[in-house]
Amino acid sequence: MKYILKLIVVFLISLALGLALYHYLIMELLLLLGVPCFNVILGFIYFFITSLIIFFILKRFLLKKNKYDPYIWFLLYLIVLAIGLLFRNVYVQAIELNPFAFIYAFFDDPLSIFTTLINVVGFIPAYPLLYCMKRNIRFSKTVIIFGLISILIEFIQYIFARGVFSLSDVLLYLIGFMLGYWATRFITPRN
């Protein structure tokens, strides 16, 4: 009973922090990225996901660990990625096959630096989260599968006119994934 009471308190705190974080930071970032956030239902979804992420962070450090936590983290991560990549107010349907197009964009559009950073940083957690779920994953298979998933993400954006099918984005996703791999290798002990 004491654990349930602590869980409720942590959840209420996470709701308050999630509302503040959504209102003062996340809504601004979503607007900058062109993601609609004035829709009441989408706004509630963003707020709720933010609160859930804060809840699991607080739960991880304040309460007992659960064996399902890595799977919940990965699911939340996928939901955040899907929202950020597929629910934008961008109605563009084009193909960019130059894998280094993001470098040329730096000179044309100052916002492209921010977009490039988002594309890299957004995929850094992918490998550490996979590693938390299954410690003995083969790196080569994981990179190939992640590369195919990255191409699938870009293809879905193209099909639904939510962005440009861009090989440079696939390259940036892979760079973020590799940074996550190297960070995981650096932090975890060698066997």
Side-chain angles (χ1 to χ4, degrees):
M1 186 66 176
K2 195 174 186 181
Y3 179 76
I4 293 174
L5 185 60
K6 286 181 183 178
L7 205 60
I8 291 171
V9 169
V10 168
F11 184 71
L12 292 174
I13 291 170
S14 66
L15 284 176
L17 290 173
L19 181 62
L21 188 64
Y22 170 72
H23 182 70
Y24 292 110
L25 178 67
I26 294 177
M27 191 180 338
E28 298 296 326
L29 285 173
L30 291 172
L31 287 172
L32 193 62
L33 292 172
V35 179
C37 56
F38 292 115
N39 180 323
V40 174
I41 295 171
L42 282 178
F44 179 76
I45 291 170
Y46 300 146
F47 152 70
F48 190 69
I49 289 171
T50 304
S51 298
L52 277 178
I53 291 170
I54 292 171
F55 171 74
F56 283 107
I57 290 171
L58 291 175
K59 181 179 173 276
R60 169 94 169 129
F61 291 108
L62 299 176
L63 303 173
K64 288 190 245 176
K65 296 178 185 175
N66 185 337
K67 67 179 180 177
Y68 299 110
D69 283 349
Y71 299 99
I72 294 170
W73 277 106
F74 193 72
L75 180 64
L76 287 172
Y77 172 72
L78 291 178
I79 291 170
V80 169
L81 272 183
I83 289 171
L85 293 171
L86 302 175
F87 293 99
R88 299 181 294 168
N89 266 347
V90 177
Y91 299 102
V92 175
Q93 194 173 32
I95 296 175
E96 173 61 60
L97 297 178
N98 181 358
F100 302 105
F102 65 94
I103 295 171
Y104 301 116
F106 289 158
F107 301 109
D108 296 335
D109 182 18
L111 186 62
S112 67
I113 295 172
F114 177 73
T115 306
T116 300
L117 285 174
I118 291 292
N119 283 340
V120 172
V121 171
F123 286 88
I124 290 175
Y127 187 86
L129 288 171
L130 286 172
Y131 181 81
C132 288
M133 291 189 313
K134 187 174 181 184
R135 297 209 187 276
N136 58 352
I137 55 177
R138 293 207 36 191
F139 177 70
S140 57
K141 282 185 181 178
T142 308
V143 169
I144 292 169
I145 291 170
F146 184 77
L148 293 173
I149 290 171
S150 299
I151 291 170
L152 179 66
I153 289 169
E154 290 298 307
F155 185 69
I156 290 171
Q157 284 181 345
Y158 174 77
I159 294 295
F160 293 106
R162 295 295 183 215
V164 176
F165 178 92
S166 175
L167 287 182
S168 66
D169 284 352
V170 172
L171 178 65
L172 292 171
Y173 301 160
L174 284 169
I175 289 171
F177 185 78
M178 294 299 295
L179 288 173
Y181 167 75
W182 288 319
T184 305
R185 295 278 299 177
F186 180 73
I187 292 170
T188 57
R190 306 272 190 270
N191 290 336

